[in-house]
Amino acid sequence: MTVVTRFAPSPTGFLHIGGARTALYNWLFARHHAQFGDGGRFLLRIEDTDRKRSTNEAVDAILDGLTWLGLDWEGEAVSQFARRDAHAAAAERLLAAGHAYRCYCTPEELATMRERAMAEGRKSLYDGTWRDRDSADAPAGVAPTIRLKAPQDGETVIEDLVQGRVTVANAEMDDMVLLRADGTPTYMLAVVVDDHDMAISHVIRGDDHLTNAFRQIQLYNALGWSTPVFAHIPLIHGADGAKMSKRHGALGVDAYRDLGFLPEAICNYLLRLGWSHGDDEFISRDQAIEWFDIDAVNKGAARFDMAKLTNLNGHYIRNADDARLTELVMRDLHARHDGKLAVGAADRVKMGMSGLKERAKLIPELVDFAEFYALPRPLLMNDKASTLVDSEARIHIAGLYKELAGIDDWSESVVDAAVHAFAERESLKLGKIAQPLRAALTGTTTSPGIFEVMAVLGRDETLARLNDVLNDNAAGSA
RNA sequence: GCCCCCUUCGUCUAGUGGCCUAGGACGCUGCCCUCUCACGGCAGAAACAGGGGUUCGAGUCCCCUAGGGGGCGCCA
């Protein structure tokens, strides 16, 4: 059987982190079966039946988010709203077959019904007032909803790939609304009809939908359709253990991008949050496709841990391509300095990237580190750096300047040897000269290895920066 | 309130009755490496929610309690 999965977000906001994980699992499951099984397809459906809350901006944000994460879907995204005729037709068919009926209760009547049920300690259910009543009794001027005539005895069972066998008594469920008074389909009807028509084989979604699944199974049965396989994955909780919702600290994937996370780090983190493959932590996309299986998905909710995500991001930055990182860094650098960068800044940043990326966990950190390569002289020094360049240090720098000025064959190993020789001759510990050098050349107290910095900067720029310090050309401390 | 689900270090997790004096990762602490900061290496503190069973033997199976989560819309 070929596997068909789907991600079905409602476009009422950004693609949040929980949604991203659901999409990832669906994508991975389909890809796995495409590569190692009998075929797999991943589809996208926008659940926009709630016209009041759906926006095109949200649709774009979701599409952008998925694209950025590298989760591509097959074909065009399906608009649920556009399929309303098919939904209505299914409801009419149920009505004709006697599996559904018209309900003339007003929203006010239903509200009091709910309150009373709650007060009496019962589950708040529709009491079935119109289930067996003749439509001839209908009050004038009330547009009816169409409700499913759900089974009242027995139980509904779901064999969930994650949660296992879950059973609920049919008496626990009321007759759900299929078509609203205005003729538009409800979510329950729309999902079932769409999943069926899209030939979805596996429904993988958050376990907040677990109880919905029971009602959906009733609908599938009434419609005479076979049910897809369900897999309800646990929700992601915030650091405080409470659910992570849009109004409770959940960020959109775009926010994580702006914070400086790489998509592969987010995917790796999300994959490991609630799923595992032994002790493996760093999992490439190819490995994920090969290894991913619903069996290994945990049942309990997991807390979102920014520190671990950040650590993972550092790993992916260190392993990222220099040209790609340079592009990201230069874009930010231009924005930060209004385009006022040194000539050849991008080349220096790229050349120095291998040393830079070793020390950053987030892209903005990388930008901070790269700044000294890209800025025009004279460099501004931060406070710690300027205190390092005291009168004694200046004497050393002056001496070293003469030494370095004599070098024609400028390379990391040559300047390294020159500085070491100088330190030895002056009976200085290397740090005594390396730190002031770092302050002078980078304006900071932390940077990649100082000889690497000198090599990337080149002979002329290195000497010019040293000269700036010796002549107090620096524009002051930053 | 009612229904459903969950429960191993602070966090993510390994663990499918004996290999567990419970392993890995993040974070934390100490040491090493070292021109700074990282990276890396080594070491350390840190968990089977509680109580009953079943069994020769339970983190692993069953029951109860507690705690947590989700659902109960003419929202999705």
Side-chain angles (χ1 to χ4, degrees):
Chain A
M1 177 185 67
T2 155
V3 163
V4 184
T5 64
R6 49 54 162 195
F7 177 53
S10 53
T12 57
F14 44 58
L15 170 62
H16 65 93
I17 207 74
R21 186 179 60 154
T22 301
L24 175 67
Y25 283 17
N26 274 286
W27 186 90
L28 246 19
F29 191 70
R31 276 306 176 94
H32 175 86
H33 284 275
Q35 240 175 278
F36 303 95
D38 301 327
R41 310 197 296 141
F42 171 65
L43 310 179
L44 181 61
R45 183 174 70 229
I46 305 297
E47 311 226 311
D48 51 0
T49 53
D50 184 350
R51 304 312 289 169
K52 288 186 279 292
R53 297 200 302 151
S54 300
T55 67
N56 287 117
E57 293 69 52
V59 173
D60 291 341
I62 290 167
L63 263 39
D64 286 351
L66 290 173
T67 302
W68 183 65
L69 290 171
L71 305 179
D72 54 333
W73 57 96
E74 200 172 298
E76 287 289 301
V78 173
S79 160
Q80 190 159 62
F81 178 65
R83 292 184 34 79
R84 57 193 181 283
D85 291 347
H87 306 149
E92 291 301 332
R93 184 152 78 76
L94 251 18
L95 204 52
H99 287 130
Y101 60 93
R102 292 194 173 82
C103 167
Y104 294 86
C105 286
T106 62
E108 294 71 37
E109 289 177 298
L110 293 173
T112 50
M113 196 183 290
R114 250 193 305 280
E115 274 171 38
R116 204 175 54 218
M118 210 69 111
E120 289 171 8
R122 287 182 288 117
K123 192 179 170 75
S124 67
L125 301 173
Y126 169 64
D127 63 7
T129 306
W130 289 91
R131 186 178 167 104
D132 298 309
R133 236 166 119 181
D134 198 310
S135 281
D137 299 342
V142 176
T145 58
I146 293 179
R147 287 181 183 270
L148 177 74
K149 194 176 269 186
Q152 295 178 307
D153 305 315
E155 50 191 25
T156 297
V157 179
I158 165 175
E159 296 289 351
D160 194 275
L161 249 30
V162 175
Q163 306 296 338
R165 184 192 184 89
V166 187
T167 305
V168 80
N170 286 330
E172 289 298 326
M173 291 177 277
D174 62 1
D175 293 341
M176 66 184 142
V177 173
L178 266 19
L179 232 43
R180 301 186 183 102
D182 64 3
T184 59
T186 60
Y187 162 76
M188 288 292 178
L189 209 219
V191 192
V192 169
V193 173
D194 289 348
D195 281 341
H196 173 264
D197 289 356
M198 289 166 79
I200 303 302
S201 66
H202 292 72
V203 171
I204 303 168
R205 71 222 313 188
D207 77 8
D208 49 338
H209 285 289
L210 185 61
T211 44
N212 288 335
F214 292 106
R215 316 179 83 107
Q216 287 163 19
I217 287 172
Q218 293 183 329
L219 235 187
Y220 276 103
N221 291 155
L223 255 2
W225 295 337
S226 58
T227 57
V229 176
F230 290 104
H232 289 93
I233 62 179
L235 267 19
I236 297 175
H237 287 178
D240 60 356
K243 72 176 166 187
M244 210 167 169
S245 62
K246 286 175 188 175
R247 52 199 161 280
H248 192 91
L251 299 175
V253 295
D254 57 320
Y256 288 93
R257 182 186 55 207
D258 294 344
L259 247 24
F261 289 101
L262 259 22
E264 55 268 45
I266 293 185
C267 286
N268 193 152
Y269 179 71
L270 255 19
L271 174 64
R272 279 286 286 103
L273 201 59
W275 175 89
S276 60
H277 182 267
D279 285 337
D280 295 306
E281 296 286 347
F282 300 116
I283 302 169
S284 71
R285 178 139 302 193
D286 286 344
Q287 285 174 319
I289 290 171
E290 186 179 340
W291 292 339
F292 187 75
D293 194 355
I294 301 289
D295 295 356
V297 175
N298 290 137
K299 296 172 117 183
R303 293 190 191 197
F304 189 84
D305 182 7
M306 197 65 103
K308 186 150 183 174
L309 205 212
T310 303
N311 171 273
L312 217 41
N313 204 55
H315 172 265
Y316 280 101
I317 284 180
R318 290 192 290 280
N319 288 286
D321 176 68
D322 289 352
R324 173 189 174 199
L325 292 175
T326 300
E327 205 172 304
L328 288 172
V329 167
M330 290 310 292
R331 200 192 54 204
D332 283 12
L333 241 23
H334 271 107
R336 233 189 238 191
H337 298 285
D338 198 25
K340 295 187 185 65
L341 301 180
V343 178
D347 291 338
R348 286 211 292 251
V349 170
K350 188 177 176 192
M351 202 186 301
M353 189 51 77
S354 61
L356 256 16
K357 69 184 181 183
E358 200 70 26
R359 345 184 109 67
K361 289 189 163 66
L362 258 13
I363 296 300
E365 286 176 11
L366 195 55
V367 175
D368 290 342
F369 280 126
E371 210 154 37
F372 78 90
Y373 277 140
L375 259 23
R377 17 177 308 265
L379 234 47
L380 266 67
M381 257 190 236
N382 68 27
D383 291 345
K384 280 185 186 168
S386 28
T387 51
L388 265 178
V389 187
D390 54 17
S391 53
E392 188 193 348
R394 280 164 197 275
I395 294 169
H396 295 146
I397 289 175
L400 187 60
Y401 181 93
K402 287 185 197 128
E403 193 84 17
L404 294 172
I407 298 176
D408 293 322
D409 172 28
W410 191 271
S411 71
E412 187 174 338
S413 57
V414 171
V415 293
D416 183 326
V419 174
H420 269 94
F422 177 80
E424 200 165 323
R425 180 151 22 95
E426 302 289 321
S427 303
L428 293 170
K429 286 181 70 177
L430 190 61
K432 223 28 185 165
I433 184 67
Q435 274 304 82
L437 208 44
R438 184 180 331 271
L441 296 177
T442 73
T444 68
T445 53
T446 64
S447 81
I450 197 62
F451 308 121
E452 177 185 331
V453 167
M454 291 165 84
V456 171
L457 248 20
R459 180 179 182 276
D460 294 349
E461 180 71 14
T462 299
L463 293 176
R465 289 189 182 192
L466 293 181
N467 201 43
D468 285 343
V469 170
L470 293 172
N471 297 317
D472 259 333
N473 277 349
S477 59

